[in-house]
Amino acid sequence: MTRSPRLLLTRCVRLSAGLALYGVCMALLLKAGLGADPWTVFTQGIAEKTGWSPGTVLLGVSVVVFALWIPLRQRPGVGTVANALCVGPFLDVALWALPTPHGLPVRVLYLLAGVLGIALATGLYVGVGWGPGPRDGLMTGLAHLGLPLAVGRTLVEVSVLAGGWLLGGTVGPGTVLFMATIGPLVGYALPRLTLTPAEPRASR
């Protein structure tokens, strides 16, 4: 096998594993019932009101967010499109397959596994260099318009969190834990999972 096919396979495996893990970890947060990240709360709230599965809602939300990329002049990559199309189905399958936890200790375990797993998943799929997720691209697009990234991220996440809560999504200690820890956790995982020139990789 030549270098390029080997690299392509490595990136595809990492991307697929990251997206699958992301969907499973979203399901863990929902199953825990202790609150989730803002976008998952928003997804859950819409699902509560429409009766659609969370995965279907997530797919629809991703399409809407993609539409918002147009005026922000953001360009999706392969990973961006894969994220939009694949995480929702993985989420629905995981919600069906995972047992519902009973008792606070098991729910807390689900919560912690979900938060840590999402950080790992983000490192895996972003680290292949094929583009951010749709929601991340929305925030970087606002930054390109001159809005500080921290301000843009806060505005977007507070808005979707409030909307999700009003629609019936679960906000709780897990939400606080996620928002307080996900930045440092991704900051730790991403550099360690990003393909570097020392590893075989294609030129961009």
Side-chain angles (χ1 to χ4, degrees):
M1 184 178 284
T2 63
R3 176 172 172 161
S4 292
R6 227 179 8 246
L7 166 66
L8 180 61
L9 178 61
T10 298
R11 297 175 89 175
C12 288
V13 169
R14 288 195 184 195
L15 177 64
S16 300
L19 297 180
L21 181 60
Y22 203 104
V24 170
C25 291
M26 287 184 68
L28 287 171
L29 294 179
L30 290 173
K31 287 277 189 176
L34 296 171
D37 65 282
W39 285 100
T40 302
V41 172
F42 187 61
T43 298
Q44 183 186 28
I46 295 176
E48 289 284 339
K49 291 298 182 183
T50 61
W52 299 344
S53 72
T56 300
V57 172
L58 182 60
L59 179 59
V61 168
S62 297
V63 171
V64 173
V65 171
F66 264 141
L68 296 175
W69 278 39
I70 298 173
L72 296 176
R73 298 182 179 179
Q74 294 293 288
R75 292 183 179 179
V78 173
T80 310
V81 176
N83 182 300
L85 296 178
C86 297
V87 174
F90 283 129
L91 169 60
D92 280 345
V93 170
L95 285 172
W96 171 79
L98 288 170
T100 299
H102 298 287
L104 184 60
V106 183
R107 293 170 66 196
V108 170
L109 183 61
Y110 268 46
L111 171 64
L112 295 177
V115 174
L116 291 171
I118 283 179
L120 175 60
T122 301
L124 281 170
Y125 85 78
V126 175
V128 302
W130 280 348
R135 294 159 293 281
D136 294 326
L138 175 61
M139 296 170 193
T140 57
L142 291 173
H144 288 162
L145 292 180
L147 192 67
L149 182 60
V151 174
R153 186 181 187 95
T154 299
L155 286 175
V156 171
E157 293 196 343
V158 168
S159 297
V160 298
L161 180 63
W165 177 70
L166 290 172
L167 290 169
T170 302
V171 177
T175 308
V176 177
L177 175 68
F178 187 97
M179 296 183 73
T181 62
I182 195 62
L185 288 172
V186 171
Y188 179 84
L190 184 57
R192 289 161 175 80
L193 293 171
T194 297
L195 291 173
T196 64
E199 302 177 57
R201 72 180 299 176
S203 61
R204 294 184 184 180

